[in-house]
Amino acid sequence: MSLLANILGFSAFGLAARVGQLGIQRRNLLDNPGGHLISMGVFGFAGYWAYQWDQRAAVLLSEKRAEIAERRQKELAQTEAAAVVALEEA
């Protein structure tokens, strides 16, 4: 998911939350447009933060997977070396 889509999606959710809030209070939905903008901005920032967090988590996961694969290769090489030594001794 792209950054823009993430921000716009969260902003739309913020707008829906604000409209829902005003609907529960039975107030005019277009009474204070500044409140809508603030809600959309806050939720849009949450979308930006969620996107950045997701990207960082993907990098950390790929680094960890590479580290695990490297460790498995070393263990496999050590096991093979031990098997060769055991066969030569037998």
Side-chain angles (χ1 to χ4, degrees), residues 16-32 35-36:
R18 175 70 176 161
V19 169
Q21 175 190 24
L22 292 176
I24 289 172
Q25 295 175 355
R26 295 179 187 234
R27 290 175 45 198
N28 184 6
L29 297 181
L30 301 176
D31 186 31
N32 183 9
H36 297 321

Side-chain angles (χ1 to χ4, degrees), residues 13-67:
F13 183 79
L15 178 62
R18 175 70 176 161
V19 169
Q21 175 190 24
L22 292 176
I24 289 172
Q25 295 175 355
R26 295 179 187 234
R27 290 175 45 198
N28 184 6
L29 297 181
L30 301 176
D31 186 31
N32 183 9
H36 297 321
L37 293 176
I38 290 172
S39 180
M40 290 175 68
V42 168
F43 276 85
F45 178 72
Y48 172 78
W49 181 82
Y51 177 82
Q52 295 299 328
W53 180 61
D54 187 44
Q55 295 300 312
R56 180 65 182 146
V59 168
L60 290 174
L61 284 173
S62 66
E63 289 173 358
K64 193 65 166 175
R65 285 186 182 130
E67 180 183 313

Side-chain angles (χ1 to χ4, degrees), residues 61-90:
L61 284 173
S62 66
E63 289 173 358
K64 193 65 166 175
R65 285 186 182 130
E67 180 183 313
I68 290 171
E70 182 181 332
R71 190 175 338 132
R72 286 181 181 168
Q73 289 289 5
K74 287 180 182 178
E75 289 176 5
L76 185 60
Q78 289 175 353
T79 305
E80 289 176 354
V84 167
V85 169
L87 284 175
E88 289 176 357
E89 291 177 357

